[in-house]
C-alpha cells in the first residue's frame, strides 16, 4: 500500500492529474503540493513514513528551494566587501543579539534599522539575519558572504554542525539565569515584529522569506538539538505572524470587493475614470498576496511541522502542538480541517506529559468556541474515548486539563451520562489537584440548568413543603454519594466540592433532618450520609486552608440542637454528631451569652456517653470534652463541672460493680455485673486517654481486680480495660511530676505501682488468654519506653528508671515469636471481602506487636541479641513485615554498631543451625533454605550503605566472628574438618564492603585460627574448599560478591560510565592509603576484642606517606 501511494504521488507530481487551479501553478509548487498530500495520506502514528514518500519529500524540498532561489531577483550588492564593511556587519549582528537578550523597548528600533539595511543591501541584511538565528541557537560559528554565495545550504548547515563549539547542552532558549530569563519572549517578539515591519513589501519579494525559510528548514533537520529547537520555534512563530498578516490582507480584500460591488452598481456616467480597473488590479494583487501567504504557511507546515511534531525532543514536539492550536483558532478557515486535527489526536498518546498537555490546551481553545466546535464532529467521534480516559493520566497537570476539556465537552452535550459519572467519581482521589478539578466538573454536571429546572417543576408531596433550591442540590449530592458506593471518603468528597458550591456552607442543611414536613424525603442510609457530610463540612470550615473572610466556627442553634437527641441512638450518626462541637468558635458562647446552649450541649454529650458502648462514639465524646475544657475557653469552668459530675457517676458505678463482683468469679461470661464493669471502664478509658483523671484515685480497686484476674482468670473485656486504665494512670502521674523537685511520696508510690503492674503483666504474657496476653504485652512495651534510662537525664526522675531483667526479655521475645510469626504459613487466600478484611486486621495487630518489640531493641531497653530471631525473619516474612524489620536493622546499626554486628551474626547462625537440623546435618547447597540464608546475609549487607568509613568496624567484626564460628570444632576432633565451614560462604556476602587494609588483617587473623596440620588436611577433605573460596575473596577483591569493577580501597560498584585509564593508571595502581584507626573509648567497658577494634596488618617497617605518591620525573 505505501508503494502504491508513492506511485500516485509521482503521477500527481508530473501534473497529469492536477486540477485547473493546480495546473496554473509553477511545477515545483505543484510537486510540493503532491508531496504534502502524500504525507497526509501515508502517515500513521504507529508506522514510519514510507521510504518512497520520504525520498520524494526530501527531493522536492531541495529542488523547490533551489528553484525559488533561482527565480528570486538578484539584488544589487557589491561583489566585494571591505574590512570596514565586514566590521560594521559584525557590529550590527551583535546589536541584534544584544537587543534580543535585553528585550524591552530596544527591540522595535533595531528591527526598523534592519529593514532599512535590507532595503539598501538585501543580501548583506539576509546574511546578518541568518547569522542572528545561528547565534540564537548557541552556535559561535560565523556565516561569511562567501559561504552564503558559493555553498549549498546543506553543506553550510553541515559545516555549522561540525563546528558547533558549545560543549554543554545549554543554549539561550533553555538557559536559566537573569541574562536569558526573557530570551524566549523577546525572540518570539522579534519574529513577530520582523514580519510586521515587512508585511507590505519585503515578504512578497520572493527573496527574504524564501531564503530565510530555506535556512531555517535546513536547521530544523540538524542533528543538533539547539538548532532544531530554536529554528522550529522560529518557523512556527513565522506562521503565526503570517496569519496576522493574512487577516489584514483578507480585510483589505473584502473591503476592495465591497468597493467593486458598489462601483458596479453605479451608472456609467457616475463612475470614476479607470477606478473600476484599479480596484480590480488591487483585488488581483491582494489575492496573489493571500495565495503567497498560504503557500509559505503550507510549505512550513509540510517541511517543519510534519517532521518535528514527532521529534525526539519533547520540547520541540510541545512547541509544534501548542502553535498548531493557535493556528486553528486564529485562522480556522485554512487550518481547521481533519488533515490538521489528526496530528493533535495522535499526540494525545505521546509518552511525554508536556506534549499531551499542549494537545489538550489546543483542544480546549477549539471546544470553547461555538463557531469552531461544529467542525469537530468527526474528530470527537474518533478521539473522545482517549480524551475522557486522560482524566486518569499519571501527570496531574494533564489530568486536570483533561477534566476541564471534558467539562467543556459536557456543556456541548458531547458526553454520555456514564462518562460524566466516571469523571465525577474522581472527587475521591488522593490527589487534591485532580479531585478539585473533578469537583468543579461534578458541580456543573449534578447542578446543571436542565436538572434544576426539572427538579423545581417536580410535583410536591402532599402535606410537605416545597423544597428549596439548596435542599434539592444537597439531596442530589447525597444520592450521588450513595450511588458511587464509596462511604469512607466523605472528607475528600466535601473538600473537592467546597470551593465550587455554596450548598455545603449553608448550615440550614440540618433542617432536612429536623423538619418533618420538609419536601425532601430521606431514608436511613441517606440520613447517615447527610450527617457525615455535615460533620466533614464543619471540619472543612475550620481548617487552615479556608478562604479569606470565612468564619472559622459556629455554635449550634436552638433549631439544630435536637440532632443529637434525634439521631443519638445510631452509633455511626452519633460519632459524626459528637465530633462537630470540636470545630466550634467557643468564644461566641461568652460573647453572645449562650450559657444555656452550652449546658444543653454538655447534657447531650453526657447522654451519648452513658447511652453508647461503641468505642468510636466514646472517643469522639471524650475529645469534645477535652476541647470544651481548655483553659483559654472563658466558660471552661462550666465544662469542668459537667465533666466532674460525669466522672463521679462513672467512678461510683465502677466501685459498685467491683464490690458486686468480688464474691463471684470474674471469668463468668454471663455475669451482668462484669458486663457493666467492662462498659464503665471503657468510658473511663476514653476520658482518661485525653483528660487526667488521677485526682479521682479510683485505680486501687482496679489493682484488686487485676490481682484476681492473674490468680483466677477474668473475661477479656474487663481485663483489657483494667490494664489500659492502669497504664494511663502511670503515664499521667509521670507527666504531672515536677522534674526538678518531685515529691518523694509520689515517686515512691509510683515506683511501687510500676513494679507491681510490670510483674502482673509479665505473668499475663506468660499464662494469660490471647487478648489478655496482647494487652499485657502492649502495656509492658509502653511502660518500659516511658520509664527507660532517658529519665536519668530529666531532672530528678532517675529513681523511676526501670530496666527489664533477662527473664522478662526472654518472655517478650518468645511471645513475639509465637504471636507474630506463627500461623502465617497456614493462611489461605480469602474467598470474599469479609475474609480479606479479617486477615488485614489480624496482620495489622501482628505489626503493632512487632513494632512495639522492635522499639525496645532500637532504644536499647532490651539486649539486642533478643532481636536476632526477629531479624532472621527478614527474608521469610518480607511481604508482611519487611519494612519494619529493615527499619529496625538500620536503626540498631546506627545506635550500637558493635551489638548490631553480633546480633546479625547470631541471627545468621540461628538460621544456619535450623537449616542444618532440618536437613539432618548435611546441608543441600542447592536447596531453597540455603538460598534464603544467603539472601538474608545479602540483605543485611545492603543495609550497610555506601559510607564504608562508618561500617568498617561492624563489617570486620562480622568476618571475625563468622570465621571463629566456622572454624570451631565442637567435638574437639581437630583431625576432621569443622562442621560449619560452609558458613564462610554466608559471611562472604559482606566481603565487598572491606577495604584493602582490613583484608590483609583478616587474612592474618584467618591464618592464626588454623593449626599447623591444616594445610595437609585441606588437600584431603573436600569440605575445606569453603575455606579456600573464602580466603580468595579476602585476598582478591574482584572475587568478592558485588564488587565487580570496584576500585581498590572503596566499597561497592562505581557509579557513572567507565573512562579510559590514564598513563599513570596503566603503569599500575597506587598503594592504598593508611587506615584511619579511631581512638579507643576509655569509658566503654570490655576488652579491645569485645569492642570490635578494626584489625590492621603488621608493621612492615616501611614508611608510607599520606595520600597518593608522586610519580617520579623521567
Amino acid at each position: 500500500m505505501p508503494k502504491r501511494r508513492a506511485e500516485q504521488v509521482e503521477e500527481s507530481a508530473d501534473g497529469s492529474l492536477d486540477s485547473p487551479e493546480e495546473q496554473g501553478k509553477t511545477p515545483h509548487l505543484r510537486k510540493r503540493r503532491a508531496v504534502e498530500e502524500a504525507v497526509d495520506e501515508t502517515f500513521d502514528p504507529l508506522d514510519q513514513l514510507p521510504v518512497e514518500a520520504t525520498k520524494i519529500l526530501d527531493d522536492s524540498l531541495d529542488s523547490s528551494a533551489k528553484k525559488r532561489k533561482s527565480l528570486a531577483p538578484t539584488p544589487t550588492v557589491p561583489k566585494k566587501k571591505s574590512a570596514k564593511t565586514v566590521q560594521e556587519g559584525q557590529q550590527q549582528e551583535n546589536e541584534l543579539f544584544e537587543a534580543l537578550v535585553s528585550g524591552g523597548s530596544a527591540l522595535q528600533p533595531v528591527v526598523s534599522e534592519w529593514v532599512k539595511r535590507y532595503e539598501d543591501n538585501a543580501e548583506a541584511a539576509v546574511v546578518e539575519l541568518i547569522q542572528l538565528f545561528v547565534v540564537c541557537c548557541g552556535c559561535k560559528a560565523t556565516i561569511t558572504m562567501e559561504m552564503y554565495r558559493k555553498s549549498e545550504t546543506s553543506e553550510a548547515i553541515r559545516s555549522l554542525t561540525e563546528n558547533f563549539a558549545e560543549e554543554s547542552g545549554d543554549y539561550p532558549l533553555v538557559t536559566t539565569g537573569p541574562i536569558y530569563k526573557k530570551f524566549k519572549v523577546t525572540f518570539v517578539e522579534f519574529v513577530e515584529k520582523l514580519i510586521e515591519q515587512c508585511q507590505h513589501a519585503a515578504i512578497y519579494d520572493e527573496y527574504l522569506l524564501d531564503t530565510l525559510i530555506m535556512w531555517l528548514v535546513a536547521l530544523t533537520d540538524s542533528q543538533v538539538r539547539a538548532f532544531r529547537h530554536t529554528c522550529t520555534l522560529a518557523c512556527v512563530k513565522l506562521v503565526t505572524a503570517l496569519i496576522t498578516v493574512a487577516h489584514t490582507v483578507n480585510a483589505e480584500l473584502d473591503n476592495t470587493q465591497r468597493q467593486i460591488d458598489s462601483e458596479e452598481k453605479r451608472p456609467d456616467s457616475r463612475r470614476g475614470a479607470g477606478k473600476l480597473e484599479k480596484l480590480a488590479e488591487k483585488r488581483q494583487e491582494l489575492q496573489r498576496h493571500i495565495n503567497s501567504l498560504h503557500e509559505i504557511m503550507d510549505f512550513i507546515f509540510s517541511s517543519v511541522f510534519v517532521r518535528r511534531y514527532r521529534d525526539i525532543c519533547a520540547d520541540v514536539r510541545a512547541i509544534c502542538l501548542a502553535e498548531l492550536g493557535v493556528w486553528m483558532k486564529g485562522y480556522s478557515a485554512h487550518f481547521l480541517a481533519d488533515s490538521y486535527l489528526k496530528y493533535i489526536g495522535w499526540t494525545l498518546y505521546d509518552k511525554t506529559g508536556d506534549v499531551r498537555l499542549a494537545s489538550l490546551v489546543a483542544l480546549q481553545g477549539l471546544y470553547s468556541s461555538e463557531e469552531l466546535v461544529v467542525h469537530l464532529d468527526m474528530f470527537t467521534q474518533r478521539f473522545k474515548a482517549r480524551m475522557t480516559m486522560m482524566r486518569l493520566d499519571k501527570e496531574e497537570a494533564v489530568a486536570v486539563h483533561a477534566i476541564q476539556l471534558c467539562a467543556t465537552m459536557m456543556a456541548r452535550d458531547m458526553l454520555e451520562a456514564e462518562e460524566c459519572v466516571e469523571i465525577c467519581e474522581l472527587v475521591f482521589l488522593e490527589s487534591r489537584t485532580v479531585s478539585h478539578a473533578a469537583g468543579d466538573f461534578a458541580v456543573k454536571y449534578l447542578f446543571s440548568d436542565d436538572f434544576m429546572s426539572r427538579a423545581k417543576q417536580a410535583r410536591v408531596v402532599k402535606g410537605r413543603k416545597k423544597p428549596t433550591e439548596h435542599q434539592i442540590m444537597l439531596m442530589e449530592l447525597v444520592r450521588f454519594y450513595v450511588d458511587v458506593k464509596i462511604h469512607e471518603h466523605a472528607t475528600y468528597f466535601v473538600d473537592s466540592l467546597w470551593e465550587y458550591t455554596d450548598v455545603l456552607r449553608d448550615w440550614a442543611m440540618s433542617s432536612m433532618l429536623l423538619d418533618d414536613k420538609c419536601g425532601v424525603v430521606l431514608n436511613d442510609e441517606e440520613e447517615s450520609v447527610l450527617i457525615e457530610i455535615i460533620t466533614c463540612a464543619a471540619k472543612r470550615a475550620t481548617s487552615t486552608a479556608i478562604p479569606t473572610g470565612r468564619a472559622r466556627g459556629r455554635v449550634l442553634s436552638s433549631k439544630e440542637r435536637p440532632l443529637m437527641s434525634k439521631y443519638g441512638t445510631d452509633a455511626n450518626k452519633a460519632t459524626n454528631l459528637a465530633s462537630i462541637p470540636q470545630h466550634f468558635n467557643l468564644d461566641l458562647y461568652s460573647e453572645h451569652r449562650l450559657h444555656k446552649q452550652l449546658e444543653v450541649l454538655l447534657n447531650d454529650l453526657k447522654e451519648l456517653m452513658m447511652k453508647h458502648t461503641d468505642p468510636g462514639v466514646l472517643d469522639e465524646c471524650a475529645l469534645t470534652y477535652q476541647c470544651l475544657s481548655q483553659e483559654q475557653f472563658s466558660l471552661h469552668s462550666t465544662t469542668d463541672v459537667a465533666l466532674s459530675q460525669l466522672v463521679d457517676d462513672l467512678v461510683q458505678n465502677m466501685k459498685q460493680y467491683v464490690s458486686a463482683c468480688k464474691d463471684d468469679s470474674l471469668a463468668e461470661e454471663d455475669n451482668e455485673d462484669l458486663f457493666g464493669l467492662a462498659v464503665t471502664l471503657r468510658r473511663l478509658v476514653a476520658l482518661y486517654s485525653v483528660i487526667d483523671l488521677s485526682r479521682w484515685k479510683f485505680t486501687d480497686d482496679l489493682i484488686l481486680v487485676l490481682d484476681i484476674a492473674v490468680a483466677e482468670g477474668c473475661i477479656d473485656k474487663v481485663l483489657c480495660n483494667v490494664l489500659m486504665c492502669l497504664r494511663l494512670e502511670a503515664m499521667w502521674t509521670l507527666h504531672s511530676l515536677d522534674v526538678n523537685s518531685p515529691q518523694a511520696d509520689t515517686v515512691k508510690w509510683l515506683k511501687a505501682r510500676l513494679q507491681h503492674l510490670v510483674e502482673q503483666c509479665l505473668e499475663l504474657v506468660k499464662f494469660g488468654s490471647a487478648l489478655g496476653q496482647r494487652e499485657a504485652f502492649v502495656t509492658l512495651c509502653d511502660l518500659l519506653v516511658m520509664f527507660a534510662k532517658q529519665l536519668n537525664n530529666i531532672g530528678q526522675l532517675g529513681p523511676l528508671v526501670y530496666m527489664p531483667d533477662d527473664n522478662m526479655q526472654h518472655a517478650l521475645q518468645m511471645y513475639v515469636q509465637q504471636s507474630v510469626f506463627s500461623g502465617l504459613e497456614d493462611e489461605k487466600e480469602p474467598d470474599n471481602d469479609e475474609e480479606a478484611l479479617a486477615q488485614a486486621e489480624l496482620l495489622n495487630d501482628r505489626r503493632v506487636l512487632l513494632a512495639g518489640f522492635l522499639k525496645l531493641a532500637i532504644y536499647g531497653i532490651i539486649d539486642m541479641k533478643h532481636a536476632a530471631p526477629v531479624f532472621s525473619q527478614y527474608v521469610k516474612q518480607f511481604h508482611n513485615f519487611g519494612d519494619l524489620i529493615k527499619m529496625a536493622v538500620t536503626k540498631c546499626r546506627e545506635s550500637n554498631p558493635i551489638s548490631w554486628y553480633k546480633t546479625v551474626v547470631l541471627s545468621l547462625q540461628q538460621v544456619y543451625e535450623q537449616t542444618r537440623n532440618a536437613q539432618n546435618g548435611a546441608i543441600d547447597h542447592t536447596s531453597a533454605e540455603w538460598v534464603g540464608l544467603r539472601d538474608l546475609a545479602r540483605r543485611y549487607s545492603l543495609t550497610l550503605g555506601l559510607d564504608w568509613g562508618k561500617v568498617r568496624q561492624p563489617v570486620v567484626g562480622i568476618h571475625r566472628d563468622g570465621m571463629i564460628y566456622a572454624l570451631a570444632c565442637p567435638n574437639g576432633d581437630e583431625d576432621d574438618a569443622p562442621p560449619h565451614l560452609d558458613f564462610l560462604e554466608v559471611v562472604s556476602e559482606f566481603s565487598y564492603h572491606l577495604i584493602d587494609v582490613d583484608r590483609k588483617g583478616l587474612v592474618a587473623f584467618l591464618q592464626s585460627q588454623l593449626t599447623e596440620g591444616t594445610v595437609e588436611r585441606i588437600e584431603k577433605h573436600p569440605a575445606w574448599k569453603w575455606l579456600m573460596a573464602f580466603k580468595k575473596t579476602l585476598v582478591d577483591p574482584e572475587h568478592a560478591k558485588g564488587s565487580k569493577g570496584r576500585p581498590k580501597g572503596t566499597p561497592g560498584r562505581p557509579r557513572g560510565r567507565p573512562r579510559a585509564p590514564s598513563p599513570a593508571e596503566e603503569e599500575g595502581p597506587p598503594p592504598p592509603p593508611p587506615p584511619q584507626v579511631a581512638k579507643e573509648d576509655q569509658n566503654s567497658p570490655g576488652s579491645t576484642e569485645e569492642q570490635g577494634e578494626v584489625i590492621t596488618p603488621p608493621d612492615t617497617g616501611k614508611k608510607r606517606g599520606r595520600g597518593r605518591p608522586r610519580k617520579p620525573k623521567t
Side-chain angles (χ1 to χ4, degrees):
M1 181 63 70
K3 185 176 181 180
R4 184 176 61 82
R5 288 179 178 174
E7 293 174 354
Q8 293 176 358
V9 172
E10 294 178 357
E11 185 179 5
S12 176
D14 293 336
S16 57
L17 298 179
D18 286 345
S19 61
E21 274 185 35
E22 296 293 332
Q23 292 177 4
K25 296 183 179 180
T26 55
H28 69 279
L29 294 180
R30 286 188 282 105
K31 186 174 182 180
R32 185 174 63 200
R33 175 65 64 185
V35 173
E36 293 169 356
E37 294 176 356
V39 172
D40 291 341
E41 291 179 3
T42 57
F43 181 80
D44 187 82
L46 303 178
D47 299 327
Q48 297 293 332
L49 196 66
V51 178
E52 298 86 349
T54 305
K55 184 177 180 182
I56 295 172
L57 179 60
D58 296 337
D59 295 342
S60 65
L61 293 178
D62 294 338
S63 62
S64 145
K66 294 178 182 178
K67 291 181 180 179
R68 290 178 67 86
K69 187 174 181 181
S70 63
L71 293 176
T74 305
T76 58
V77 294
K79 296 183 179 179
K80 296 182 180 180
K81 296 180 67 177
S82 61
K84 183 178 180 180
T85 307
V86 174
Q87 186 177 2
E88 291 178 354
Q90 294 176 353
Q91 292 177 356
Q92 293 164 359
E93 294 165 4
N94 294 333
E95 290 178 0
L96 285 174
F97 185 73
E98 290 176 0
L100 283 179
V101 174
S102 60
S105 59
L107 197 60
Q108 180 65 39
V110 171
V111 176
S112 301
E113 291 177 2
W114 181 89
V115 173
K116 293 180 181 179
R117 292 196 297 271
Y118 178 78
E119 294 174 354
D120 297 338
N121 190 340
E123 188 175 20
V126 169
V127 173
E128 177 187 350
L129 187 61
I130 295 173
Q131 179 66 52
L132 173 66
F133 282 104
V134 171
V135 174
C136 289
C137 296
C139 181
K140 298 179 181 180
T142 303
I143 299 178
T144 63
M145 186 62 67
E146 183 179 1
M147 180 189 301
Y148 173 74
R149 289 175 176 174
K150 295 183 179 180
S151 301
E152 293 290 339
T153 305
S154 58
E155 297 179 1
I157 300 301
R158 188 179 302 110
S159 176
L160 292 176
T161 303
E162 294 174 355
N163 298 326
F164 196 85
E166 190 69 24
E167 296 180 357
S168 65
D170 294 338
Y171 45 96
L173 204 60
V174 298
T175 302
T176 58
I179 299 178
Y180 296 102
K181 183 178 181 180
K182 299 181 180 180
F183 180 81
K184 183 176 181 180
V185 177
T186 55
F187 181 76
V188 172
E189 185 181 356
F190 171 79
V191 175
E192 294 174 350
K193 289 186 179 297
L194 178 65
I195 299 300
E196 181 183 356
Q197 291 287 331
C198 302
Q199 64 177 327
H200 299 293
I203 61 175
Y204 306 114
D205 63 1
E206 296 186 355
Y207 178 70
L208 172 62
L209 287 185
D210 285 23
T211 306
L212 179 61
I213 292 174
M214 178 179 62
W215 279 80
L216 292 178
V217 169
L219 287 171
T220 57
D221 286 335
S222 173
Q223 296 179 353
V224 180
R225 177 173 298 184
F227 284 149
R228 296 200 316 274
H229 190 184
T230 307
C231 295
T232 299
L233 178 62
C235 288
V236 296
K237 289 300 179 181
L238 273 176
V239 175
T240 304
L242 292 175
I243 288 175
T244 305
V245 177
H247 282 301
T248 304
V249 176
N250 281 323
E252 294 181 3
L253 183 60
D254 294 340
N255 188 24
T256 304
Q257 184 63 42
R258 285 195 299 270
Q259 293 179 3
I260 292 175
D261 296 340
S262 177
E263 193 68 23
E264 288 178 347
K265 292 179 181 179
R266 293 182 179 183
D268 296 340
S269 59
R270 299 184 59 183
R271 291 181 183 176
K275 186 175 181 180
L276 190 59
E277 289 77 7
K278 293 180 180 179
L279 290 174
E281 292 177 0
K282 183 178 180 181
R283 180 179 60 181
Q284 293 178 359
E285 182 182 4
L286 293 174
Q287 189 62 49
R288 285 196 300 271
H289 289 175
I290 285 293
N291 294 337
S292 179
L293 293 175
H294 287 180
E295 177 186 337
I296 295 172
M297 290 188 289
D298 292 342
F299 179 75
I300 293 178
F301 181 85
S302 60
S303 303
V304 178
F305 181 91
V306 172
R307 295 185 178 185
R308 300 278 71 81
Y309 91 98
R310 50 183 180 176
D311 194 278
I312 191 174
C313 178
D315 293 336
V316 177
R317 302 199 302 270
I319 287 174
C320 293
L321 271 299
E323 214 60 29
L324 179 59
V326 175
W327 301 344
M328 290 181 176
K329 190 174 181 180
Y331 203 38
S332 58
H334 185 76
F335 285 102
L336 190 57
D338 292 335
S339 58
Y340 296 95
L341 282 169
K342 63 183 180 182
Y343 295 103
I344 295 182
W346 290 340
T347 50
L348 292 175
Y349 298 88
D350 195 276
K351 62 182 180 180
T352 305
D354 292 338
V355 183
R356 299 194 299 271
L357 180 61
S359 302
L360 290 175
V361 172
L363 291 175
Q364 181 68 27
L366 299 178
Y367 280 96
S368 300
S369 175
E370 295 183 1
E371 299 176 356
L372 303 181
V373 73
V374 296
H375 302 284
L376 302 175
D377 293 339
M378 185 176 296
F379 177 85
T380 304
Q381 182 180 1
R382 171 66 179 82
F383 293 102
K384 184 178 72 170
R386 174 57 183 169
M387 288 187 286
T388 55
M389 186 57 65
M390 291 179 74
R391 71 187 187 275
L392 302 175
D393 197 281
K394 63 180 181 180
E395 301 289 342
E396 289 189 357
V398 178
V400 169
H401 278 79
I403 294 173
Q404 294 174 353
L405 177 61
C406 291
T408 305
M409 296 173 64
M410 179 193 65
R412 310 290 182 193
D413 295 332
M414 294 183 174
L415 295 182
E416 302 294 336
E418 294 79 6
E419 296 172 338
C420 294
V421 172
E422 291 176 354
I423 299 175
C424 292
E425 291 177 355
L426 298 180
V427 297
F428 299 102
L429 283 181
E430 293 182 358
S431 173
R432 200 163 187 261
T433 307
V434 180
S435 62
H436 276 217
D440 187 16
F441 181 93
V443 169
K444 294 177 180 177
Y445 172 69
L446 297 176
F447 305 150
S448 61
D449 296 337
D450 183 36
F451 166 76
M452 294 304 299
S453 61
R454 286 188 284 104
K456 291 179 181 179
Q457 295 174 3
R459 185 176 180 181
V460 181
V461 180
K462 185 177 181 180
R464 291 183 175 271
K465 301 177 183 178
K466 184 178 181 180
T468 63
E469 182 177 349
H470 275 196
Q471 288 177 345
I472 295 173
M473 298 169 69
L474 189 60
M475 183 60 197
E476 185 65 17
L477 290 179
V478 171
R479 288 176 178 171
F480 169 76
Y481 186 87
V482 173
D483 292 341
V484 296
K485 302 300 182 183
I486 303 178
H487 304 296
E488 297 180 0
H489 300 79
T491 304
Y492 290 171
F493 180 70
V494 172
D495 182 69
S496 301
L497 303 177
W498 185 262
E499 297 179 1
Y500 306 103
T501 177
D502 296 333
V503 178
L504 299 176
R505 291 188 285 271
D506 183 8
W507 300 109
M509 67 177 81
S510 58
S511 61
M512 297 176 60
L513 300 171
L514 298 175
D515 191 358
D516 296 334
K517 296 183 178 181
C518 179
V520 178
V521 181
L522 302 174
N523 56 31
D524 183 69
E525 183 180 9
E526 292 171 346
E527 288 179 348
S528 300
V529 170
L530 180 56
I531 292 175
E532 190 174 2
I533 290 177
I534 293 174
T535 304
C536 295
K539 295 179 182 179
R540 181 62 180 82
T542 58
S543 63
T544 56
I546 61 173
T548 305
R550 182 180 299 168
R552 292 190 59 84
R554 59 184 302 278
V555 296
L556 288 173
S557 65
S558 58
K559 180 180 179 181
E560 295 169 332
R561 188 200 60 77
L563 283 175
M564 288 189 181
S565 58
K566 183 176 182 179
Y567 297 100
T569 55
D570 190 299
N572 294 329
K573 298 175 183 177
T575 302
N576 292 318
L577 291 175
S579 64
I580 293 178
Q582 301 171 18
H583 311 284
F584 286 175
N585 185 355
L586 302 179
D587 295 335
L588 295 180
Y589 279 108
S590 57
E591 292 176 1
H592 298 281
R593 299 181 179 180
L594 301 176
H595 299 78
K596 293 184 178 180
Q597 282 79 357
L598 178 60
E599 293 176 356
V600 171
L601 174 61
L602 294 172
N603 290 333
D604 291 340
L605 286 175
K606 183 178 180 180
E607 291 181 4
L608 290 179
M609 285 288 293
M610 303 303 293
K611 186 184 299 183
H612 285 277
T613 60
D614 184 76
V617 179
L618 300 178
D619 293 339
E620 288 296 336
C621 290
L623 289 173
T624 302
Y625 272 113
Q626 181 199 28
C627 180
L628 296 177
S629 60
Q630 296 176 0
E631 293 184 358
Q632 58 266 30
F633 178 33
S634 57
L635 298 180
H636 69 90
S637 58
T638 305
T639 307
D640 292 340
V641 173
L643 179 62
S644 299
Q645 294 177 356
L646 175 62
V647 177
D648 288 340
D649 295 342
L650 292 175
V651 170
Q652 184 178 0
N653 293 339
M654 183 208 70
K655 292 184 177 181
Q656 292 177 357
Y657 287 130
V658 170
S659 61
C661 296
K662 285 182 179 179
D663 300 332
D664 300 331
S665 174
L666 298 180
E668 295 181 1
E669 294 288 345
D670 299 334
N671 193 331
E672 295 182 359
D673 293 332
L674 284 177
F675 178 79
L677 177 60
V679 172
T680 303
L681 289 176
R682 185 62 187 87
R683 291 170 181 153
L684 286 171
V685 166
L687 292 171
Y688 217 167
S689 299
V690 294
I691 302 173
D692 187 5
L693 306 181
S694 301
R695 57 192 175 98
W696 274 270
K697 297 181 180 179
F698 60 89
T699 54
D700 291 338
D701 295 332
L702 299 184
I703 287 292
L704 177 60
V705 174
L706 177 62
D707 294 341
I708 297 175
V710 172
E712 302 177 2
C714 180
I715 62 175
D716 294 331
K717 292 182 179 180
V718 173
L719 178 59
C720 293
N721 290 319
V722 166
L723 290 175
M724 284 190 285
C725 280
L726 295 175
R727 180 171 74 237
L728 291 170
E729 180 200 31
M731 293 180 179
W732 278 113
T733 305
L734 178 63
H735 176 72
S736 62
L737 287 176
D738 185 359
V739 295
N740 296 321
S741 57
Q743 296 181 1
D745 296 340
T746 306
V747 172
K748 183 178 180 181
W749 173 87
L750 180 58
K751 188 171 184 179
R753 176 60 60 88
L754 176 64
Q755 180 70 30
H756 182 73
L757 181 58
V758 168
E759 291 176 356
Q760 298 291 52
C761 288
L762 183 60
E763 290 296 320
L764 289 174
V765 168
K766 293 180 179 179
F767 309 108
S769 60
L771 288 178
Q773 283 182 321
R774 183 185 185 280
E775 194 61 37
F777 178 83
V778 172
T779 301
L780 278 177
C781 291
D782 291 344
L783 292 177
L784 291 176
V785 171
M786 288 290 295
F787 295 90
K789 53 188 176 182
Q790 79 272 2
L791 294 181
N792 290 321
N793 304 324
I794 304 177
Q796 304 296 324
L797 300 182
L800 291 176
V801 173
Y802 186 90
M803 297 301 294
D805 55 10
D806 292 338
N807 182 26
M808 183 181 297
Q809 296 182 31
H810 181 70
L812 295 177
Q813 172 195 329
M814 295 303 298
Y815 174 74
V816 168
Q817 289 184 260
Q818 296 174 1
S819 61
V820 176
F821 300 111
S822 62
L824 290 175
E825 296 82 359
D826 301 334
E827 286 188 354
K828 300 180 180 179
E829 291 294 330
D831 297 332
N832 49 49
D833 295 340
E834 294 181 357
E835 293 183 2
L837 181 60
Q839 289 186 6
E841 292 178 353
L842 180 59
L843 178 61
N844 182 66
D845 292 340
R846 293 173 186 261
R847 289 174 62 87
V848 169
L849 298 176
L850 180 60
F853 178 77
L854 292 175
K855 185 166 54 177
L856 301 179
I858 293 173
Y859 294 147
I861 299 173
I862 63 174
D863 195 348
M864 199 178 296
K865 66 180 181 181
H866 292 287
V870 176
F871 288 178
S872 63
Q873 300 289 335
Y874 184 24
V875 174
K876 189 176 182 181
Q877 300 296 337
F878 183 81
H879 179 69
N880 296 323
F881 313 107
D883 55 337
L884 296 177
I885 299 177
K886 179 181 179 181
M887 180 60 68
V889 169
T890 304
K891 293 296 182 181
C892 288
R893 176 177 58 81
E894 294 174 355
S895 62
N896 193 337
I898 298 174
S899 298
W900 176 83
Y901 85 73
K902 292 182 178 294
T903 304
V904 167
V905 174
L906 178 60
S907 67
L908 293 174
Q909 292 174 2
Q910 290 176 352
V911 178
Y912 176 84
E913 293 292 346
Q914 293 173 4
T915 305
R916 185 180 179 86
N917 295 333
Q919 299 181 5
N920 299 324
I923 296 181
D924 181 8
H925 297 96
T926 61
S927 62
E929 292 78 6
W930 176 256
V931 174
L933 174 59
R934 292 184 56 185
D935 190 18
L936 177 62
R938 187 180 301 111
R939 290 182 182 267
Y940 283 153
S941 178
L942 292 175
T943 61
L944 291 172
L946 300 176
D947 192 352
W948 59 273
K950 293 183 179 180
V951 302
R952 183 180 178 187
Q953 190 175 21
V955 169
V956 173
I958 290 174
H959 284 78
R960 184 190 58 203
D961 289 3
M963 286 187 285
I964 294 174
Y965 174 76
L967 297 175
C969 296
N971 300 327
D973 186 8
E974 297 183 356
D975 295 334
D976 197 4
H980 305 149
L981 276 177
D982 50 357
F983 187 75
L984 295 175
E985 181 72 11
V986 179
V987 179
S988 64
E989 296 291 345
F990 299 87
S991 297
Y992 73 93
H993 282 284
L994 292 170
I995 63 175
D996 293 343
V997 175
D998 294 337
R999 291 179 185 276
K1000 296 178 182 178
L1002 287 173
V1003 171
F1005 180 79
L1006 179 61
Q1007 294 292 342
S1008 66
Q1009 297 295 313
L1010 301 176
T1011 58
E1012 296 180 356
T1014 303
V1015 178
E1016 292 77 5
R1017 293 196 302 273
I1018 288 176
E1019 299 177 356
K1020 297 179 181 179
H1021 203 289
W1024 289 98
K1025 65 179 180 180
W1026 301 105
L1027 176 64
M1028 300 303 298
F1030 177 71
K1031 185 176 180 180
K1032 196 171 185 180
T1033 61
L1034 295 180
V1035 175
D1036 188 1
E1038 297 298 330
H1039 288 81
K1041 293 177 173 55
S1043 64
K1044 185 178 181 181
R1046 177 171 60 88
K1048 293 185 178 181
T1050 57
R1053 182 176 58 87
R1055 301 179 64 183
R1057 63 176 64 182
R1059 61 177 177 84
S1062 63
E1065 292 172 336
E1066 292 178 353
E1067 295 180 4
Q1076 300 293 333
V1077 182
K1079 295 182 179 180
E1080 183 180 354
D1081 188 0
Q1082 299 178 358
N1083 298 327
S1084 58
S1087 62
T1088 303
E1089 182 178 354
E1090 293 176 351
Q1091 294 298 321
E1093 182 182 359
V1094 178
I1095 301 174
T1096 57
D1099 189 8
T1100 58
K1102 298 181 180 180
K1103 295 183 179 181
R1104 300 178 61 183
R1106 179 175 298 177
R1108 183 172 178 174
R1110 294 182 179 180
K1111 183 179 179 182
K1113 296 182 179 180
T1114 58

